[in-house]
Amino acid sequence: LLGIVSRGVKAEALKGHLDPMILSIVSGGPAHGYAVIDALKRRSGGVFELPEGTVYPALHRLEAEGLLSSSWETTTGRRRRVYRLTRSGRTALGARRSEWQIFARAVEGVLA
Amino acid sequence: MNWLDELELELRTAGVPPGPRRRILAEFADHLASDPGSEERLGSPAELARLFADEHATRSTRRSVIAGLLIVATLLACLWIIDTYVSTSNTWAAISCGRSCTPQTVEHIRQSGPWPERMLSDSLWAIPLAIAVGLGGTASALLVYRPSSTRRSAA
């Protein structure tokens, strides 16, 4: 039960932050779903206890909002949906980064 | 029943249309091929299906609202064209459009020249225009509203 509660809290804490993190990962170059999840784990040091599958609905949502585009590509005989950052996505990422820096500085100022 | 079969069943139950469903399953199949045995880390198929269904419903609602607005705008444009170019050019059309046959209307019709010719030329021009606007608006609304399964991104 403790494990479930802990996962719930951490997933809840991620709300609103997953989208900019995905945009940031895809800004480094085209990536398929598994690569995005892998980068998310690697770059966060494995801190996020998010069910990995929830990244896919987020990718679809970001595409529907025009922040990502995607297409099927065949690599090493396997068909993969590859995501790319759009111009709007780049602008949105810049805005979210600035917002986050202001927010993080403010929280740091209060907690320190 | 494996994890992918379960996800397919849950997506179907949640009402995710066939096009997006195929795409979702293909993406998860690729994920599982890249990371065998990761089913548990991916999460519950029911919960994932719910997330996809919510996302799809949000998009459908947005598209329905835009398509509805386009239809209303098209109807208004058609009515405006007919009202401007047809109804004022002759008495019968004016009456049929519910206008009262006021002295001003009659004077306007008289000043507009030999009305049968005027009516004929304006009507000939206006009706195809109204039809073209109507068809254009309807086509745009259908393009906005078309199901995700027919969109290129879902291919």
Side-chain angles (χ1 to χ4, degrees):
Chain A
L1 179 67
L2 279 174
I4 294 167
V5 172
S6 160
R7 169 173 283 204
V9 170
K10 288 187 177 175
E12 188 67 26
L14 265 179
K15 265 190 179 170
H17 303 304
L18 183 60
D19 289 5
M21 286 193 290
I22 291 174
L23 291 177
S24 178
I25 288 165
V26 180
S27 73
H32 51 86
Y34 177 71
V36 171
I37 292 166
D38 190 48
L40 200 59
K41 273 196 288 191
R42 233 177 336 100
R43 286 164 63 169
S44 69
V47 167
F48 304 139
E49 287 184 29
L50 186 76
E52 293 176 359
T54 55
V55 168
Y56 288 95
L59 285 166
H60 287 215
R61 183 178 60 248
L62 290 168
E63 186 181 359
E65 288 169 4
L67 305 180
L68 292 179
S69 64
S70 75
S71 57
W72 288 112
E73 283 182 14
T74 306
T75 43
T76 59
R78 198 186 292 165
R79 206 162 157 256
R80 291 183 143 163
R81 193 78 185 180
V82 175
Y83 293 87
R84 288 172 184 78
L85 197 66
T86 62
R87 194 186 294 264
S88 309
R90 199 165 292 282
T91 308
L93 176 61
R96 295 301 297 272
R97 272 187 178 137
S98 305
E99 276 172 28
W100 171 254
Q101 279 158 6
I102 293 166
F103 177 77
R105 267 200 299 271
V107 173
E108 184 66 30
V110 173
L111 294 181
Chain B
M1 185 184 273
N2 65 24
W3 191 92
L4 269 182
D5 293 337
E6 208 178 321
L7 178 64
E8 182 174 17
L9 183 69
E10 294 291 350
L11 288 169
R12 203 186 291 266
T13 309
V16 176
R21 203 162 64 218
R22 276 195 297 275
R23 171 177 164 182
I24 292 162
L25 290 169
E27 287 193 84
F28 278 108
D30 174 49
H31 184 106
L32 290 171
S34 303
D35 188 8
S38 61
E39 287 88 343
E40 201 183 324
R41 288 198 307 278
L42 282 172
S44 140
E47 180 60 17
L48 288 173
R50 192 189 57 78
L51 288 173
F52 280 115
D54 287 350
E55 177 53 34
H56 178 76
T58 307
R59 267 182 279 168
S60 294
T61 306
R62 200 179 302 153
R63 284 205 307 273
S64 302
V65 168
I66 295 170
L69 288 173
L70 269 171
I71 289 287
V72 170
T74 304
L75 274 174
L76 288 175
C78 290
L79 286 174
W80 179 80
I81 290 167
I82 290 166
D83 185 63
T84 306
Y85 296 105
V86 180
S87 67
T88 55
S89 63
N90 72 87
T91 312
W92 303 113
I95 292 167
S96 70
C97 281
R99 291 176 174 216
S100 57
C101 195
T102 61
Q104 287 86 356
T105 313
V106 173
E107 187 56 31
H108 172 76
I109 293 162
R110 191 173 294 150
Q111 283 175 3
S112 67
W115 67 263
E117 290 80 4
R118 171 72 188 269
M119 183 195 77
L120 188 67
S121 63
D122 282 353
S123 300
L124 283 176
W125 183 77
I127 289 170
L129 179 67
I131 291 171
V133 169
L135 287 175
T138 308
S140 308
L142 284 173
L143 274 176
V144 168
Y145 188 69
R146 71 184 163 155
S148 307
S149 56
T150 60
R151 285 166 186 265
R152 193 174 60 84
S153 63

